[in-house]
Amino acid sequence: MYRTHNCGELRIKDVGKEVILSGWIQKIRNLGSLLFMDIRDYFGITQLMISKKLVKKNFLLGKEFIIRIRGKVVERFSKNNNIPTGEIEISVSHIDLLNSSLPTPFTIEDQTDGNEEIRMIYRYLDMRRNPIKNNLIIRHNLTLEIRNFLSENGFLEIETPVLINHTPEGARSFVVPSRIHIDKFYALAQSPQLFKQLLMIGGIDKYFQIVKCFRDEDSRSDRQIEFTQIDCEMSFVEVHDVLVFFENFIKHIFKKIKKIQLDPFPCISYSNAIKIYGTDSPDIRFGMPFIELNDLVKKKDINFLKTQELVIGIKIKKYHNIYDKIDFFLKKIENDNFFWIKYLCDQTLLSSNQSFLNKKILEIFVKYFKAIPGDFLFFSYGKKRKTREKLGEIRLKIADFFNLKNSKIYQPLWITDIPLLKWDKQFKKYKSVHHPFTSPKEEDIHLLKTNPKKIRSKSYDLIINGIEIGSGSIRIHNKNIQNFIFKHLGFSQKEIESKFGFFIKAFEYGVPPHGGIAFGLDRLVNLMEEDKNIKNFIAFPKNNYGKDVMINAPSFLEKEKLKELHLR
């Protein structure tokens, strides 16, 4: 028997019991005739009290050696209130060495001395530490709650193929050569998009899958080349139905996992998000919407501004307590089409450009913004798109500098009416903003012939604290519209048949109105746990260059293998 109890369960009520424990040696403290050791397993840590004679007689021990001990539970003289087993210890009567260990490349402690690269090389050691182990437990609990909620609400979990055909549009695919079918390739699925739509055509009412997806893109701290989606689809729904259900889904997850009751999710259009925040994924925790000032500068005849295509500003309230730091921050964000106004506590007005901002103009802006002493005003002007983008970037830098992003607060919102198409200057053709199967709004379909860039789609993104957590749409269920979209994307009839023939054929047999959404599981758990690196919630992640440094993947193939795959 390796154990009668685990290393995290014994308590003061167990004093007097004879027990067997197995685990890794966490610490060794030599007190002369006695050794005190901490033994650790998945469940926790227990202190051992061992006679030095008992150890000397047998073998040497070190950190991360695996041992099995037999002994009696006794009350601990010097109690440790930081661990659940801190009131007891084990008086060891017998010890076996199960396995030895080399010195570890970093300390197996909550606060380790290992950097990210070395910890990823030895990931199996890293997950012995509580932070990584607990993250994997949290991910498991979240996944379990997701499965239970969706299953209880009529969703059927169905697996879809991973090895599929490469289809144009979207991100770059990973390709897999076929050994049997010479010169032919599979692609790893970027998402189950077409298959989940085919499930709806097949009469499945609600589908979900927690699924691995693959995109041959640059990795980042918030994105991996292989990632996990919570993929969902529903029949006979419109935008409102999807938003209501999945708002309740996210609220349920936060309440069960985080004990947080989220407020109702506001819903704003894509165009308003760009107009008000300069981005399609705004963080609304700290307010600071853009105020348009074109009418004001024309009315007040402010010469250098009234000719600009757009003039916008934002206000930051009462941050007079860091005047000594603000100058350093302001130097970092200055540019040609930007200025600021400080309203000091003594009612003095200072500006970044005294040459064209006289006192009268400063007072006009202060009055319009209803600023009070201690406030800051920031302005941007120029071409509409660039001006909004620039002030959007400044807004986020301000929030970081002033510590306005409270990680304990979660403020989700839906972004809707996202453009259906965008113009690709490089290839001189339209591309889908989401994917080619997204339905246009009925009232915009006529624009397919006249102004495709103005078409709004029946799509929606879920943004939480400025991070895109989910994205979805109502799908096209009309064959003619689907073909029309394909042709707008530059596909010939031959290409449509070659790449999507099976899908278009299914449209001949009655396609129900349907729609869905996919959430990034890695991002969701990362956000909920207030981390900035999704690698901390993935058992075996890739690094920021898409490489698995533990197993050294990707790697070269031997010539024989290349020949077998007809690649040589």
Side-chain angles (χ1 to χ4, degrees):
M1 182 184 291
Y2 284 113
R3 58 190 181 189
T4 57
H5 299 77
N6 66 56
C7 297
E9 69 176 298
L10 295 169
R11 302 291 187 270
I12 194 73
K13 63 181 175 58
D14 298 304
V15 167
K17 286 183 180 177
E18 289 286 338
V19 298
I20 301 171
L21 301 181
S22 292
W24 289 264
I25 296 174
Q26 176 85 13
K27 289 180 181 176
I28 302 176
R29 296 178 294 283
N30 190 337
L31 298 182
S33 61
L34 286 177
L35 287 178
F36 285 90
M37 290 186 194
D38 289 344
I39 185 174
R40 182 196 73 243
D41 65 7
Y42 172 86
F43 302 96
I45 292 175
T46 298
Q47 180 167 284
L48 310 177
M49 181 173 61
I50 307 172
S51 165
K52 206 165 185 182
K53 291 178 182 178
L54 184 66
V55 177
K56 251 186 177 178
K57 200 187 303 180
N58 294 284
F59 37 68
L60 294 173
L61 296 175
K63 284 186 178 183
E64 298 306 308
F65 281 42
I66 301 179
I67 58 172
R68 173 176 55 188
I69 64 94
R70 184 182 293 113
K72 182 183 286 188
V73 181
V74 297
E75 186 172 357
R76 190 164 163 172
F77 177 74
S78 178
K79 294 181 171 57
N80 181 356
N81 296 321
N82 295 320
I83 57 173
T85 59
E87 291 186 289
I88 59 93
E89 60 191 5
I90 310 300
S91 178
V92 175
S93 57
H94 182 81
I95 185 168
D96 294 313
L97 175 65
L98 301 180
N99 227 322
S100 60
S101 172
L102 292 172
T104 56
F106 52 87
T107 56
I108 312 298
E109 302 277 356
D110 289 0
Q111 299 297 322
T112 183
D113 55 0
N115 60 35
E116 182 178 270
E117 182 179 4
I118 195 72
R119 289 189 293 109
M120 286 183 68
I121 292 172
Y122 297 93
R123 188 63 164 184
Y124 47 87
L125 296 179
D126 197 26
M127 63 177 64
R128 291 182 188 176
R129 300 189 309 115
N130 283 326
I132 301 300
K133 179 194 75 176
N134 291 339
N135 285 348
L136 297 178
I137 293 170
I138 289 164
R139 184 182 175 116
H140 162 77
N141 291 336
L142 174 61
T143 304
L144 186 63
E145 198 57 51
I146 289 165
R147 278 201 164 92
N148 289 340
F149 182 88
L150 292 174
S151 299
E152 289 165 8
N153 280 277
F155 284 75
L156 194 63
E157 185 170 13
I158 302 174
E159 294 177 338
T160 54
V162 173
L163 289 173
I164 63 171
N165 263 343
H166 167 70
T167 55
E169 287 289 307
R172 288 182 294 272
S173 296
F174 285 99
V175 293
V176 181
S178 171
R179 177 182 59 83
I180 299 171
H181 306 284
I182 300 172
D183 293 335
K184 292 188 176 181
F185 295 81
Y186 299 100
L188 297 181
Q190 293 186 28
S191 84
Q193 184 62 45
L194 289 178
F195 291 99
K196 66 179 178 178
Q197 289 190 243
L198 289 167
L199 287 171
M200 300 300 103
I201 297 171
I204 302 299
D205 193 66
K206 297 184 184 75
Y207 139 95
F208 86 98
Q209 186 180 185
I210 298 174
V211 58
K212 277 281 188 182
C213 300
F214 306 86
R215 292 181 186 173
D216 189 6
E217 296 183 322
D218 297 336
S219 286
R220 301 191 301 226
S221 62
D222 67 342
R223 182 176 68 193
Q224 291 266 296
I225 57 175
E226 59 174 301
F227 57 96
T228 306
Q229 273 187 189
I230 309 159
D231 200 59
C232 307
E233 198 79 5
M234 309 162 77
S235 285
F236 302 107
V237 291
E238 264 298 350
V239 171
H240 174 76
D241 305 305
V242 178
L243 299 195
V244 168
F245 179 83
F246 285 102
E247 177 171 330
N248 289 332
F249 165 73
I250 293 294
K251 284 179 175 177
H252 172 83
I253 294 301
F254 271 83
K255 192 169 184 180
K256 291 290 280 190
I257 303 297
K258 296 290 289 181
K259 314 301 181 193
I260 291 173
Q261 182 66 54
L262 295 175
D263 292 331
F265 299 5
C267 185
I268 65 174
S269 69
Y270 172 90
S271 60
N272 279 338
I274 298 295
K275 186 177 180 180
I276 298 169
Y277 300 106
T279 176
D280 60 358
S281 53
D283 189 337
I284 60 173
R285 282 174 293 176
F286 45 87
M288 289 198 294
F290 297 171
I291 305 298
E292 294 197 11
L293 302 165
N294 287 62
D295 290 343
L296 176 69
V297 298
K298 286 174 184 174
K299 182 179 177 182
K300 298 296 183 179
D301 195 32
I302 303 176
N303 287 326
F304 78 98
L305 291 176
K306 70 180 182 180
T307 59
Q308 300 297 324
E309 190 172 293
L310 181 67
V311 184
I312 50 178
I314 53 177
K315 178 173 74 173
I316 307 169
K317 299 177 182 178
K318 292 186 179 180
Y319 282 91
H320 51 79
N321 57 327
I322 55 168
Y323 278 156
D324 56 332
K325 299 177 184 176
I326 192 67
D327 288 334
F328 171 75
F329 169 71
L330 293 172
K331 285 177 185 176
K332 292 168 63 177
I333 62 170
E334 285 178 353
N335 68 78
D336 292 338
N337 289 55
F338 167 77
F339 64 92
W340 50 261
I341 298 172
K342 282 194 223 179
Y343 193 4
L344 303 183
C345 290
D346 63 2
Q347 300 192 354
T348 302
L349 292 172
L350 297 178
S351 171
S352 56
N353 199 325
Q354 300 290 347
S355 60
F356 61 73
L357 291 171
N358 57 42
K359 186 179 179 183
K360 181 182 176 183
I361 294 173
L362 298 183
E363 288 173 347
I364 289 170
F365 286 128
V366 166
K367 183 178 179 181
Y368 190 80
F369 276 87
K370 297 179 181 177
I372 61 173
D375 289 351
F376 291 105
L377 304 178
F378 293 82
F379 302 84
S380 187
Y381 59 89
K383 294 291 183 182
K384 285 183 179 179
R385 182 173 177 178
K386 190 172 181 182
T387 296
R388 287 196 173 102
E389 285 177 355
K390 190 64 188 177
L391 193 59
E393 292 169 6
I394 290 170
R395 177 178 174 271
L396 292 178
K397 289 177 181 177
I398 289 167
D400 286 331
F401 184 80
F402 289 113
N403 295 317
L404 303 180
K405 295 180 179 179
N406 187 339
S407 61
K408 303 292 183 185
I409 294 174
Y410 299 91
Q411 290 201 337
L413 80 157
W414 292 108
I415 304 293
T416 61
D417 297 349
I418 297 160
L420 184 73
L421 303 169
K422 61 183 176 183
W423 183 251
D424 189 317
K425 291 180 180 178
Q426 182 183 352
F427 295 102
K428 294 184 170 48
K429 66 176 185 177
Y430 286 105
K431 291 184 68 175
S432 298
V433 173
H434 270 180
H435 52 64
F437 319 106
T438 301
S439 176
K441 295 186 72 121
E442 283 83 357
E443 59 267 37
D444 289 355
I445 288 177
H446 70 280
L447 295 171
L448 278 168
K449 294 180 179 179
T450 57
N451 196 351
K453 282 195 292 187
K454 292 288 186 182
I455 300 173
R456 296 165 298 166
S457 65
K458 290 185 176 182
S459 57
Y460 30 82
D461 290 345
L462 179 65
I463 311 299
I464 306 180
N465 296 357
I467 300 168
E468 182 189 308
I469 295 299
S471 183
S473 68
I474 300 301
R475 323 305 185 185
I476 298 168
H477 64 276
N478 178 287
K479 179 183 177 181
N480 293 331
I481 293 175
Q482 185 64 79
N483 274 321
F484 206 9
I485 294 297
F486 280 146
K487 286 175 181 176
H488 262 75
L489 295 170
F491 296 125
S492 66
Q493 191 60 42
K494 186 177 179 181
E495 286 174 318
I496 294 171
E497 281 298 322
S498 170
K499 301 294 184 183
F500 305 106
F502 71 97
F503 186 63
I504 293 299
K505 189 178 184 66
F507 273 61
E508 303 284 359
Y509 297 96
V511 180
H514 60 287
I517 193 168
F519 300 95
L521 177 62
D522 310 307
R523 282 189 184 181
L524 180 59
V525 65
N526 191 59
L527 172 79
M528 292 176 77
E529 294 306 310
E530 304 158 35
D531 205 300
K532 291 184 179 179
N533 192 340
I534 60 172
K535 292 193 283 290
N536 291 332
F537 294 88
I538 299 171
F540 300 102
K542 307 287 188 290
N543 69 10
N544 286 356
Y545 301 97
K547 186 174 181 179
D548 187 325
V549 293
M550 182 181 69
I551 64 173
N552 197 30
S555 59
F556 293 104
L557 287 177
E558 298 86 353
K559 288 181 180 179
E560 290 77 10
K561 190 65 179 175
L562 291 171
K563 189 175 179 181
E564 182 183 335
L565 294 169
H566 315 289
L567 296 175
R568 276 284 171 93

